């Protein structure tokens, strides 16, 4: 196996064998949790993040006694999910509550302060902050370059 191939998307692109090989040889591509360790006492002994990840990815630790609704409180911190939630909580709340599923929270903060990627995403997907996108597209760094000190 080549541990450099498709490294940017290894979680989706690599087979389990590829992941195991690269994890053992280069300590890369490893699962974030060992879903066998402590499995018999998962309800009481596992952290919320481990329960969510192992249940979603390995179908372990989500037995009949496990209360999936209690893994994360999807209303806690909802107003600041973009910056405040872990990836596990975002994934869980999107999958189970259809909350925080968007790439960005287009209601959060002043559009003028957003990074360009967020502004572009919100304009394209939510028709919000398009005035910021127009201003970005209207920038012409070549215009008046010779006289930039006075013109800009």
């Amino acid at each position: 196996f080549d541990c450099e191939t498709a490294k940017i998307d290894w979680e989706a692109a690599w087979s389990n064998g590829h992941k195991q090989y690269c994890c053992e040889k280069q300590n890369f591509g490893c699962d974030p949790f060992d879903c066998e360790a402590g499995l018999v006492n998962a309800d009481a002994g596992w952290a919320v993040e481990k329960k969510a990840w192992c249940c979603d990815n390995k179908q372990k630790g989500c037995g009949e006694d496990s209360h999936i609704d209690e893994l994360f409180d999807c209303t806690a911190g909802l107003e600041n999910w973009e910056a405040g939630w872990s990836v596990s909580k975002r994934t869980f709340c999107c999958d189970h509550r259809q909350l925080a599923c968007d790439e960005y929270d287009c209601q959060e903060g002043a559009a003028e302060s957003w990074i360009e990627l967020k502004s572009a995403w919100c304009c394209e997907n939510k028709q919000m902050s398009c005035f910021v996108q127009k201003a970005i597209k209207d920038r012409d760094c070549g215009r008046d370059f010779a006289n930039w000190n006075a013109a800009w």
Side-chain angles (χ1 to χ4, degrees):
F1 295 104
D2 179 358
C3 298
E4 295 301 316
T5 301
K7 196 171 188 178
I8 196 164
D9 192 30
W10 67 271
E11 290 179 286
W14 291 359
S15 67
N16 287 336
H18 195 160
K19 291 175 189 175
Q20 184 175 355
Y21 174 85
C22 293
C23 180
E24 290 172 5
K25 298 295 182 192
Q26 295 187 2
N27 199 27
F28 184 85
C30 308
D31 288 338
F33 300 103
D34 178 354
C35 298
E36 296 298 326
L39 181 59
V40 294
N41 192 31
D43 279 342
W46 282 6
V48 170
E49 289 83 4
K50 182 174 180 176
K51 286 180 189 177
W53 193 90
C54 290
C55 183
D56 288 346
N57 294 281
K58 301 290 183 178
Q59 292 70 51
K60 300 207 180 242
C62 41
E64 294 173 23
D65 295 336
S66 180
H67 302 286
I68 196 134
D69 291 345
E70 297 173 8
L71 289 178
F72 291 102
D73 178 354
C74 296
T75 59
L78 182 58
E79 65 284 348
N80 190 35
W81 64 263
E82 186 180 341
W85 285 8
S86 67
V87 172
S88 298
K89 183 170 181 176
R90 272 185 73 178
T91 301
F92 176 86
C93 292
C94 179
D95 291 348
H96 298 280
R97 298 284 175 263
Q98 292 70 51
L99 294 171
C101 296
D102 290 335
E103 184 71 24
Y104 296 102
D105 181 357
C106 300
Q107 301 293 327
E108 182 269 328
E112 296 83 6
S113 68
W114 294 349
I115 62 171
E116 193 170 330
L117 289 173
K118 178 175 179 176
S119 182
W121 190 93
C122 291
C123 179
E124 183 176 324
N125 294 282
K126 302 291 184 177
Q127 291 71 52
M128 295 177 69
S129 92
C130 295
F131 68 93
V132 174
Q133 277 302 293
K134 182 179 179 337
I136 290 169
K137 288 177 184 173
D138 286 347
R139 291 182 195 153
D140 179 0
C141 295
R143 184 178 58 220
D144 295 324
F145 181 72
N147 191 25
W148 72 270
N149 233 1
W152 295 355

